[in-house]
Amino acid sequence: MGSLSSELDKLKEEVSLLRKEVSRISDEAEVRKVHFKYGYYLDKCLYNEVVDMYADHPDTYVEFLGSRYRGKEGVRRLYNGRFQQSFVNGRNGPVRGFLLDHIMMQDIVDVDPSGTHAWCRMRALMQAGTHKSVLGIHPRGHVQWWEGGLYENEYIKENGVWKLFRYRYFPFWHAEHEQGWSLTKENYVPWPTKTYPEDPLGPDEIIEQKMLWPDTRVVPFHYPHPVTGKKIADDDLRAPLYGKDASTAEAPLTLALPEGQSRHGAGKTWESEGSVRVLPDLVENS
């Protein structure tokens, strides 16, 4: 009887571990799907649907082009305000002759043991522009361009549903289709210079996270090196001119939270499949 009881205990432990692993894999798949669904809505300028995918949590924000849009109202101001007004004249949905396709790929998703907080690093490749038939109709005129960018995002589960939480998008490079990226003008997209409410569609704050091609700094990784377990050194995230010391380059980018936000689990570690999945200073839950 003692041997049978021991075997049952081992089986129960194995079942418990398997349940946790299945839950983790399921959550990772759901987070991945949430981001892909976001991308499909974004492609077709369905900005109402995009905003609805964001969490209602007060710490929700979007970081974009050296600025932050904070809370659900800030998120709405970016998508329903800036993008919707500029691209589709305030309607929810596409307009004829305007292309804005986002290819989402190379995703790395990590879900914490609580199953309520997740990270995702993902690459975006955008093809955008207008058809010649809408020249004189669409305010962008007749134009076509490429954009390459990186996301380092966080997601939370609210009422059992995965939602976008802290979204950091770094548009890395732009190129006009005819000339390619080697001739792209610097600061291809203008940086925001005014905040809300001075700018009715502006961000809530301007931050020192401005990076556009030919700036090639590294967007920090939310995870340590999978073999060494080490974090990338700050100087290695910088991008000096060829032959110059790292100290001469722009300061490294960060994944720091805005003022007033904190991580209750910062400094702790958690593992999955035998490796640390998220840098200790970025752990959310204690």
Side-chain angles (χ1 to χ4, degrees):
M1 287 294 291
S3 176
L4 180 58
S5 176
S6 177
E7 288 297 320
L8 285 173
D9 288 342
K10 288 181 181 179
L11 284 172
K12 288 178 181 178
E13 184 178 354
E14 288 179 6
V15 169
S16 177
L17 291 172
L18 285 171
R19 281 178 175 169
K20 291 179 180 177
E21 185 66 5
V22 169
S23 294
R24 181 185 68 82
I25 293 171
S26 176
D27 280 328
E28 286 182 0
E30 285 303 313
V31 169
R32 190 174 289 112
K33 282 163 54 176
V34 163
H35 188 96
F36 289 156
K37 289 173 182 178
Y38 161 85
Y40 281 118
Y41 291 143
L42 201 62
D43 291 345
K44 293 303 178 183
C45 303
L46 290 163
Y47 297 117
N48 294 351
E49 284 70 20
V50 167
V51 171
D52 286 342
M53 295 190 73
Y54 276 86
D56 296 317
H57 195 288
D59 287 353
T60 294
Y61 67 75
V62 177
E63 189 172 313
F64 174 65
L65 285 177
S67 60
R68 283 196 192 101
Y69 298 78
R70 298 183 65 167
K72 200 68 172 281
E73 285 307 308
V75 170
R76 186 171 287 111
R77 197 182 319 122
L78 174 63
Y79 291 100
N80 291 132
R82 175 174 173 166
F83 293 153
Q84 196 169 55
Q85 298 301 321
S86 174
F87 293 151
V88 290
N89 196 35
R91 80 172 241 100
N92 189 54
V95 294
R96 182 178 175 85
F98 179 67
L99 180 71
L100 197 69
D101 279 1
H102 299 73
I103 302 171
M104 305 294 191
M105 53 190 170
Q106 293 182 287
D107 43 292
I108 298 174
V109 179
D110 291 299
V111 178
D112 79 2
S114 74
T116 61
H117 192 95
W119 285 84
C120 176
R121 186 183 184 93
M122 190 176 296
R123 186 179 298 279
L125 179 63
M126 185 175 77
Q127 300 126 359
T130 55
H131 190 264
K132 63 180 181 179
S133 64
V134 299
L135 178 63
I137 300 173
H138 197 282
R140 298 304 296 264
H142 186 207
V143 65
Q144 53 188 355
W145 75 95
W146 297 88
E147 177 178 296
L150 277 173
Y151 292 95
E152 261 293 354
N153 296 337
E154 296 176 61
Y155 308 75
I156 58 172
K157 190 182 285 185
E158 279 190 338
N159 300 317
V161 178
W162 281 107
K163 297 181 182 180
L164 319 182
F165 180 38
R166 295 175 178 136
Y167 245 46
R168 305 176 188 86
Y169 178 59
F170 297 84
F172 186 61
W173 60 268
H174 296 84
E176 294 185 1
H177 192 78
E178 295 82 3
Q179 295 183 317
W181 45 81
S182 67
L183 298 177
T184 300
K185 66 178 181 180
E186 294 197 34
N187 299 328
Y188 186 84
V189 182
W191 306 109
T193 58
K194 299 178 181 178
T195 57
Y196 179 81
E198 182 180 3
D199 178 355
L201 302 181
D204 293 284
E205 58 183 317
I206 306 294
I207 59 176
E208 292 300 321
Q209 293 269 75
K210 297 177 179 179
M211 180 189 69
L212 285 174
W213 172 251
D215 190 342
T216 54
R217 280 175 290 171
V218 180
V219 175
F221 303 91
H222 72 262
Y223 49 87
H225 189 282
V227 176
T228 66
K230 295 180 180 179
K231 179 181 180 180
I232 305 297
D234 281 352
D235 274 354
D236 295 343
L237 300 175
R238 304 169 86 169
L241 287 171
Y242 184 84
K244 299 294 183 180
D245 189 79
S247 63
T248 65
E250 294 275 358
L253 301 169
T254 78
L255 302 180
L257 297 179
E259 185 178 352
Q261 294 191 23
S262 62
R263 301 186 187 279
H264 301 298
K268 297 183 179 296
T269 60
W270 53 268
E271 296 185 2
S272 180
E273 298 178 319
S275 63
V276 175
R277 301 295 288 267
V278 171
L279 289 169
D281 56 328
L282 301 178
V283 173
E284 183 73 13
N285 295 310
S286 57

